[in-house]
């Protein structure tokens, strides 16, 4: 089982593109962002995506 999981509140996403600019796990799809991989063992640049999001709609949760 993967260690971390992304929870993206797509309703809150304003489509600014910041996450996709800093992390290649994020792509823009229309006016919303989408993660490519949702579960992973290493946070990597997904942490940058979290930190760059102006509306805090990306969370990384640790799987138990
Ligand atoms: S940084 Fe946040 S608001 Fe901007 S596109 Fe990514 S998820 Fe959406």
């Amino acid at each position: 089982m993967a260690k971390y999981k992304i929870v993206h509140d797509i309703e809150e996403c304003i489509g600014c593109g910041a996450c996709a600019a800093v992390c290649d796990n994020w792509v823009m799809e229309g006016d919303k962002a989408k993660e490519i991989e949702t579960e992973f063992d290493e946070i990597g640049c997904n942490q940058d995506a979290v930190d760059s999001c102006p509306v805090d709609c990306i969370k990384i949760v640790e799987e138990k």
Side-chain angles (χ1 to χ4, degrees), residues 1-7 39-41 60-64:
M1 183 192 246
K3 273 168 72 177
Y4 301 101
K5 185 176 178 186
I6 287 173
V7 179
E39 298 186 348
F40 40 85
D41 291 325
I60 297 174
V61 295
E62 201 167 345
E63 306 254 55
K64 296 282 179 334

Side-chain angles (χ1 to χ4, degrees), residues 8 13-19 28 33 52-55 57-58:
H8 181 213
C13 176
I14 59 171
C16 69
C19 55
M28 298 308 295
S52 69
C53 182
V55 294
C57 69
I58 306 171

Side-chain angles (χ1 to χ4, degrees), residues 13-48:
C13 176
I14 59 171
C16 69
C19 55
V22 297
C23 184
D24 58 9
N25 191 41
W26 289 82
V27 292
M28 298 308 295
E29 207 173 70
D31 60 353
K32 300 286 184 180
K34 186 173 173 288
E35 74 273 17
I36 297 169
E37 299 285 343
T38 301
E39 298 186 348
F40 40 85
D41 291 325
E42 301 288 335
I43 293 176
C45 64
N46 288 294
Q47 186 61 53
D48 300 328

